[in-house]
Amino acid sequence: MRIAFIGLGIMGGPMAGHLQRGGHDVVVFNRTQSKAEAWVAEYGGRSALTPREAAADADVVCACVGADHDVREVTVGDEGAFPAMKADAIFVDHTTASAAVARELYGAARARGLHFIDAPVSGGQAGAQKGQLSVMCGGDAEPFARIEPVLRGYGKSVVRIGDSGAGQLCKMVNQLCIAGLVQGLAEGLHFAQNAGLDVPAVISVISKGAAQSWQMENRWQTMVDGKFEFGFAVDWMRKDLGIVLEEARRNGSRLPVAALVDQFYAQIQARGGARWDTSSLIALLDNQ
Amino acid sequence: MRIAFIGLGIMGGPMAGHLQRGGHDVVVFNRTQSKAEAWVAEYGGRSALTPREAAADADVVCACVGADHDVREVTVGDEGAFPAMKADAIFVDHTTASAAVARELYGAARARGLHFIDAPVSGGQAGAQKGQLSVMCGGDAEPFARIEPVLRGYGKSVVRIGDSGAGQLCKMVNQLCIAGLVQGLAEGLHFAQNAGLDVPAVISVISKGAAQSWQMENRWQTMVDGKFEFGFAVDWMRKDLGIVLEEARRNGSRLPVAALVDQFYAQIQARGGARWDTSSLIALLDNQ
């Protein structure tokens, strides 16, 4: 299949790589041109100078960029992909963005005879490299059925949650669950250390019961060690929680702990931890 | 082995039953005598009229009662077990109580030539019935080694965390992790419903990634259905969080979300949900 891939960051780069290695004909675009050249040197394929050029003749155009305004730019902006896409082609947006922008661009795509699927991912850099992401999709069933086999190139779980915007809303639910969970874990580990407990022994017991979580199993050691120079950055989590809290204003949800944890992340940013992993909430408690 | 078991509630009853069926010679005591008679009718063994009578000649005395003052009563109270226990016998307290009372009774036991192990459990009523509890122990290594095979009668995981009080402190870490985690899950599900999402589809994706937890897998359905008439009651969670917050004052821990969630549970009590499961935090958000 002819696929364009826009945005070769730490997620998009390996995702596009899986498509090229999976036998697709991939043309990439990245704002910083040197990254696109490095990608071609590593994986093969071709690079283009604009999203529009990459999208010409593509069956599917994937994007994994920064935020709402970036998604607008690469679709309906001056050098955006939409005008170059052929009829019935599908734009798949892997950016974590608002449900509002997803619906807006879904409408713009349909008006041009194109399709738009919002498809944010979770699983982080490691998941992108291993091709083991979870992909949460919103949009029409027919184009979803066509792109699902493509997305399996990097998705261990590819699910259509519902109509346009539902993928983004699903990602928000994911981030909400994580916010409270990581803060609870941080408070537990902070208390365990202050109580002088043997933390590995504590984890060996409580990770088998009702307190168990992926975060506990994968983050307790680095949290106790105060290692945060990896993973999903506080800056990104704040972007996501900003989207969630704005959407919650719209749909009337009450999110007291998510709003509080968002403020904790603001404190971490203020002390220079903007690039730290989300698990750095414990640093605020420990005064690291 | 001759074992006394004090307290035949929804946890203690099945736990004592596993010991009797495992071939031990069990004598039970319960404040409401009819429960002890019902237990003997179901499992065999014998019942006693006081903790002291049950403890006479026992190698091990287990207790699973309500709170600190109950533990004091059944050990050093008027009809308490300690004076009747033979030299070198071991008192195992499965109550979730304070680390302070554990250390106090550890001292009182040692002064009489006895042993005291704090050994709170997690795993709930289902874990007690299946003999699949996690048992978190604090106390001396030698008596722990003697009682460990006994506790395996109902514990899938029996770990000595450290010296006297460490079992209770470990249980507190468990409850702290759960408090933040369940609130995060409640906010996520509340938002998902307000957003009109297909919740089973959402869970099918996010339960495979970084938001995964035991609570998500085992409670999302009942939370969405508003079913809370089961499980670990809000009253018990408030007791436990009270112990945690008091201990945190002592050891200087900061627990902003646990303190907030404790107040949410107080609101649930105020609207008549004292016996509801801990997962009822979502009811406050949904205004159920």
Side-chain angles (χ1 to χ4, degrees):
Chain A
M1 209 177 265
R2 249 287 278 124
I3 302 180
F5 206 106
I6 298 168
L8 302 171
I10 62 165
M11 301 296 289
M15 289 163 76
H18 285 292
L19 297 181
Q20 177 69 22
R21 286 185 174 158
H24 296 292
D25 173 18
V26 180
V27 179
V28 296
F29 166 78
N30 194 73
R31 204 156 46 184
T32 307
Q33 178 70 10
S34 58
K35 274 198 190 170
E37 286 158 14
W39 186 93
V40 170
E42 184 172 354
Y43 296 102
R46 290 170 288 149
S47 74
L49 292 173
T50 64
R52 187 159 301 175
E53 183 191 328
D57 297 320
D59 303 295
V60 176
V61 181
C62 296
C64 195
V65 294
D68 282 15
H69 63 95
D70 302 299
V71 185
R72 280 199 191 90
E73 191 181 320
V74 301
T75 50
V76 296
D78 282 349
E79 293 294 333
F82 278 10
M85 287 169 70
K86 60 186 183 189
D88 217 31
I90 309 168
F91 194 100
V92 180
D93 182 25
H94 290 305
T95 312
T96 295
S98 69
V101 83
R103 291 179 190 131
E104 169 194 321
L105 294 173
Y106 169 86
R110 295 304 300 133
R112 289 173 180 275
L114 307 172
H115 302 280
F116 185 93
I117 305 277
D118 50 297
V121 298
S122 77
Q125 191 172 0
Q129 285 164 346
K130 292 179 197 156
Q132 294 284 305
L133 295 168
S134 293
V135 190
M136 306 158 232
C137 302
D140 293 336
E142 184 279 322
F144 172 77
R146 273 193 280 152
I147 53 135
E148 200 220 341
V150 175
L151 303 187
R152 293 225 167 263
Y154 39 75
K156 67 172 170 181
S157 169
V158 179
V159 177
R160 178 175 173 268
I161 304 295
D163 291 337
S164 182
Q168 296 296 352
L169 292 165
C170 181
K171 177 72 186 275
M172 294 178 209
V173 175
N174 188 70
Q175 304 303 69
L176 277 172
C177 291
I178 288 175
L181 198 168
V182 173
Q183 177 65 23
L185 178 59
E187 294 187 11
L189 292 170
H190 167 70
F191 178 93
Q193 290 177 295
N194 283 349
L197 291 175
D198 175 350
V199 178
V202 170
I203 295 295
S204 77
V205 183
I206 70 174
S207 66
K208 290 183 180 68
Q212 179 277 341
S213 65
W214 184 97
Q215 297 284 341
M216 178 180 281
E217 288 175 2
N218 290 278
R219 292 287 181 268
W220 77 267
Q221 182 76 65
T222 46
M223 288 171 83
V224 165
D225 292 346
K227 289 185 181 156
F228 310 121
E229 308 280 351
F230 71 99
F232 189 73
V234 166
D235 271 353
W236 304 339
M237 191 59 164
R238 281 222 80 198
K239 184 200 91 174
D240 292 3
L241 288 173
I243 294 172
V244 172
L245 292 167
E246 194 186 325
E247 186 71 34
R249 247 174 232 284
R250 209 168 289 137
N251 70 25
S253 294
R254 292 189 277 172
L255 308 174
V257 163
L260 182 61
V261 171
D262 180 53
Q263 294 301 313
F264 293 158
Y265 283 127
Q267 286 181 258
I268 295 174
Q269 288 176 316
R271 12 171 123 175
R275 304 304 303 166
W276 287 356
D277 182 65
T278 315
S279 57
S280 57
L281 284 168
I282 195 173
L284 279 188
L285 303 172
D286 288 347
N287 263 330
Q288 287 169 350
Chain B
M1 209 178 265
R2 248 290 276 122
I3 302 179
F5 206 106
I6 298 167
L8 302 171
I10 63 164
M11 301 296 289
M15 289 163 75
H18 285 293
L19 297 181
Q20 177 70 22
R21 287 186 172 157
H24 297 292
D25 173 19
V26 180
V27 180
V28 296
F29 166 78
N30 195 71
R31 205 156 43 184
T32 308
Q33 178 69 12
S34 57
K35 275 197 187 171
E37 287 158 14
W39 186 93
V40 169
E42 183 170 356
Y43 296 103
R46 290 170 288 149
S47 73
L49 292 173
T50 65
R52 187 160 300 175
E53 183 191 328
D57 298 319
D59 303 296
V60 175
V61 182
C62 297
C64 195
V65 294
D68 281 16
H69 62 95
D70 302 299
V71 185
R72 282 200 191 90
E73 190 181 322
V74 302
T75 51
V76 297
D78 282 349
E79 293 295 334
F82 277 10
M85 287 169 71
K86 60 186 184 189
D88 217 30
I90 308 166
F91 194 101
V92 181
D93 182 26
H94 290 305
T95 313
T96 294
S98 69
V101 83
R103 291 180 189 131
E104 168 195 323
L105 294 172
Y106 169 86
R110 294 306 298 133
R112 291 174 180 273
L114 307 173
H115 302 281
F116 185 93
I117 305 279
D118 50 296
V121 299
S122 76
Q125 190 172 0
Q129 284 164 346
K130 292 179 196 157
Q132 295 282 305
L133 295 168
S134 294
V135 191
M136 305 158 234
C137 301
D140 294 336
E142 184 279 322
F144 172 77
R146 272 194 279 153
I147 52 134
E148 201 221 341
V150 175
L151 303 187
R152 292 223 169 266
Y154 39 74
K156 68 175 171 179
S157 169
V158 180
V159 178
R160 179 176 172 267
I161 305 295
D163 293 335
S164 181
Q168 296 297 351
L169 292 165
C170 181
K171 178 73 187 275
M172 293 178 209
V173 175
N174 189 70
Q175 303 304 68
L176 277 173
C177 291
I178 289 174
L181 198 168
V182 173
Q183 177 66 23
L185 178 59
E187 294 187 12
L189 293 170
H190 166 70
F191 178 93
Q193 290 177 294
N194 282 349
L197 291 176
D198 174 350
V199 179
V202 170
I203 295 294
S204 77
V205 183
I206 71 174
S207 66
K208 289 183 181 69
Q212 178 279 338
S213 65
W214 185 97
Q215 296 285 342
M216 179 180 280
E217 289 174 2
N218 290 277
R219 293 287 180 269
W220 78 267
Q221 182 77 65
T222 46
M223 288 171 82
V224 166
D225 292 346
K227 289 186 181 155
F228 309 120
E229 309 279 350
F230 71 99
F232 190 74
V234 166
D235 272 352
W236 305 340
M237 191 59 164
R238 280 220 79 199
K239 185 199 89 174
D240 293 2
L241 288 174
I243 294 172
V244 172
L245 292 168
E246 194 185 325
E247 186 71 33
R249 248 174 231 283
R250 209 169 288 137
N251 70 24
S253 295
R254 292 189 275 172
L255 308 175
V257 164
L260 182 61
V261 171
D262 180 51
Q263 294 302 313
F264 293 158
Y265 283 128
Q267 285 180 256
I268 294 173
Q269 287 175 316
R271 20 172 119 175
R275 305 304 304 165
W276 287 356
D277 182 65
T278 314
S279 58
S280 57
L281 284 168
I282 195 172
L284 279 188
L285 302 171
D286 288 347
N287 263 330
Q288 285 170 349

